[in-house]
């Protein structure tokens, strides 16, 4: 399930926005969620300009700055303002490149400094707790029943996610054909259609084999009827519109598991497990370029956010344990 469609822009701006979104899809391989986010931001700006009697084709810098002033007064966060400004600047560059404007009124608008938000993560002990609980539930269930297959599916999802660091959309959308040679390697097509190959550890391969056996058994029980498990090309098939398990359903199952273990739902999501994969590898000295490849980041700067997590941990460790720090002194008293 993607974002709901955004409210329309002004009649004059809609063709310009549509042309830009088409370029994003065709030339940049932007995901549906990214395109929807850009569409919503640009249409919001267009409606504001229309209230001032302006359009993207003729508006001035003052008109665009007025939009950000108006949204700031309404309580727009610095992070959201920075995202909208980035979207606007890219869009204006496109209009100039396509001869839809002669000038770029957004060029001199001061950048909004976004607050650095470090990714939430889990400790190794918390990840072990989740995996152990998922495996216990799968072991006690019967994979020939729907409830047993759901338990085994969750165990497989968690093992694969923590073993590979996949984006949740990549994980739930895996085809069965993604696994190379005895399930030792996984081929993933990520953002922009870029492919990467990720090795699987023995534990992930074992639970994956169990899940594949359960799928095949369910298909045989259905006698190969259309719509049975064997009729789907997906590793995690579902009756939904996409044919595979949704991100939302996986997140719900994960939060339900966490709730039984006393892990706050606000701290738990499939994306947090991806962060745990990255930070735990860095903890053990993995090279940042290797981590970039595993995560499928196009730019190393995206991967570097995890080094900030490490820096914060180091600072906290020094504060807590250095004999001259206030934190250590408080522990002694």
């Amino acid at each position: 399930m993607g974002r709901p469609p955004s409210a329309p822009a002004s009649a004059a701006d809609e063709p310009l926005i549509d042309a830009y979104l088409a370029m994003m899809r065709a030339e940049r391989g932007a995901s549906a969620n990214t395109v929807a986010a850009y569409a919503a931001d640009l249409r919001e700006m267009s409606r504001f300009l229309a209230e001032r009697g302006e359009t993207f084709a003729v508006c001035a810098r003052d008109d665009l700055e007025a939009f950000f002033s108006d949204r700031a007064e309404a309580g727009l966060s610095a992070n959201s303002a920075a995202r909208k400004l980035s979207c606007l600047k890219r869009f204006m560059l496109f209009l100039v490149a396509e001869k839809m404007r002669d000038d770029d009124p957004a060029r001199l608008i001061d950048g909004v400094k976004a607050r650095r938000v470090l990714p939430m993560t889990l400790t190794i002990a918390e990840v072990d707790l989740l995996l152990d609980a998922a495996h216990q539930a799968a072991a006690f269930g019967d994979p020939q029943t729907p409830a047993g297959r759901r338990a085994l599916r969750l165990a497989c999802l968690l093992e694969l996610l923590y073993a590979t660091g996949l984006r949740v959309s990549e994980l739930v959308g895996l085809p069965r054909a993604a696994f190379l040679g005895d399930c030792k390697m996984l081929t993933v097509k990520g953002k922009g259609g870029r492919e990467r190959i990720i090795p699987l550890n023995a534990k992930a391969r074992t639970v994956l084999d169990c899940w594949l056996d359960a799928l095949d058994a369910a298909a045989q029980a259905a006698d190969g009827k259309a719509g049975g498990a064997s009729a789907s090309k997906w590793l995690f098939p579902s009756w939904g519109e996409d044919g595979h398990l949704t991100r939302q359903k996986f997140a719900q199952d994960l939060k339900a598991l966490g709730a039984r273990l006393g892990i706050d739902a606000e701290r738990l999501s499939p994306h947090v497990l991806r962060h745990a994969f990255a930070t735990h590898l860095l903890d053990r000295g993995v090279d940042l370029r290797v981590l970039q490849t595993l995560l499928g980041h196009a730019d190393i700067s995206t991967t570097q956010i995890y080094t900030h997590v490490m820096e914060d941990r180091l600072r906290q460790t020094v504060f807590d344990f250095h004999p001259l720090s206030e934190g250590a002194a408080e522990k002694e008293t």
Side-chain angles (χ1 to χ4, degrees), residues 256-279:
L257 176 64
R260 295 198 297 272
L261 300 174
I263 300 177
D264 186 358
E266 293 298 319
R267 296 183 55 239
L268 193 56
S269 72
H271 204 62
V272 169
L273 272 175
R274 173 172 158 90
H275 293 325
F277 164 85
T279 53

Side-chain angles (χ1 to χ4, degrees), residues 76-106:
L76 184 70
S77 71
N79 281 10
S80 295
R83 189 200 72 238
K84 290 178 188 293
L85 180 56
S86 174
C87 169
L88 174 65
K89 285 178 176 286
R90 291 170 184 265
F91 177 59
M92 283 297 173
L93 285 174
F94 168 79
L95 295 185
V96 172
E98 295 296 315
K99 312 296 184 188
M100 298 177 184
R101 276 196 71 118
D102 295 327
D103 63 324
D104 179 359

Side-chain angles (χ1 to χ4, degrees), residues 23-315:
M23 182 277 295
M24 288 183 66
R25 295 187 193 95
E27 297 182 16
R28 299 183 185 173
S31 70
N33 280 344
T34 298
V35 171
Y38 272 66
D41 285 344
L42 291 173
R43 286 167 180 155
E44 179 188 4
M45 294 180 214
S46 171
R47 292 191 295 274
F48 178 85
L49 291 174
E51 292 173 0
R52 296 168 65 92
E54 301 290 348
T55 67
F56 278 129
V58 297
C59 67
R61 174 182 170 183
D62 289 347
D63 298 311
L64 300 177
E65 288 180 330
F67 168 80
F68 289 99
S69 296
D70 178 82
R71 294 305 184 261
E73 291 176 3
L76 184 70
S77 71
N79 281 10
S80 295
R83 189 200 72 238
K84 290 178 188 293
L85 180 56
S86 174
C87 169
L88 174 65
K89 285 178 176 286
R90 291 170 184 265
F91 177 59
M92 283 297 173
L93 285 174
F94 168 79
L95 295 185
V96 172
E98 295 296 315
K99 312 296 184 188
M100 298 177 184
R101 276 196 71 118
D102 295 327
D103 63 324
D104 179 359
R107 183 173 60 88
L108 297 178
I109 297 179
D110 291 335
V112 182
K113 188 173 180 58
R115 180 175 61 88
R116 190 183 78 186
V117 179
L118 297 182
M120 286 191 295
T121 187
L122 299 170
T123 65
I124 293 176
E126 287 172 324
V127 174
D128 284 342
L129 188 64
L130 284 167
L131 292 175
D132 288 347
H135 280 289
Q136 286 181 18
F140 283 111
D142 180 356
Q144 300 305 311
T145 66
R149 279 196 297 275
R150 284 195 296 271
L152 181 57
R153 181 181 68 187
L154 182 57
C156 186
L157 284 163
L158 293 182
E159 282 290 355
L160 285 178
L161 181 52
Y162 187 56
T164 63
L166 292 179
R167 299 177 180 91
V168 62
S169 57
E170 294 170 343
L171 177 62
V172 298
L174 280 175
R176 288 187 63 155
F179 296 92
L180 302 175
D182 198 25
C183 295
K184 291 182 179 179
M185 304 293 287
L186 169 63
T187 303
V188 183
K189 182 172 288 188
K191 288 186 175 181
R194 294 183 293 271
E195 282 194 350
R196 64 190 190 276
I197 297 177
I198 305 173
L200 290 180
N201 61 39
K203 195 175 179 184
R205 292 200 304 271
T206 298
V207 70
L208 177 60
D209 285 339
C210 293
W211 172 242
L212 291 173
D213 288 344
L215 281 182
D216 292 339
Q220 291 175 5
D223 295 325
K225 293 178 181 178
S230 63
S232 175
K233 68 177 184 177
W234 306 110
L235 180 62
F236 300 106
S238 171
W239 297 107
E241 180 180 331
D242 293 327
H244 59 71
L245 182 71
T246 65
R247 297 173 300 151
Q248 293 84 356
K249 176 58 179 171
F250 176 26
Q252 289 171 5
D253 291 346
L254 175 57
K255 287 179 184 293
L257 176 64
R260 295 198 297 272
L261 300 174
I263 300 177
D264 186 358
E266 293 298 319
R267 296 183 55 239
L268 193 56
S269 72
H271 204 62
V272 169
L273 272 175
R274 173 172 158 90
H275 293 325
F277 164 85
T279 53
H280 296 169
L281 283 180
L282 277 180
D283 267 336
R284 283 155 177 73
V286 73
D287 182 80
L288 200 62
R289 287 289 181 184
V290 173
L291 185 59
Q292 177 191 2
T293 300
L294 292 173
L295 292 173
H297 289 158
D299 193 326
I300 190 68
S301 64
T302 307
T303 317
Q304 285 172 332
I305 186 66
Y306 295 105
T307 64
H308 299 310
V309 177
M310 303 303 299
E311 290 167 6
D312 281 6
R313 284 186 180 179
L314 288 172
R315 279 194 293 271

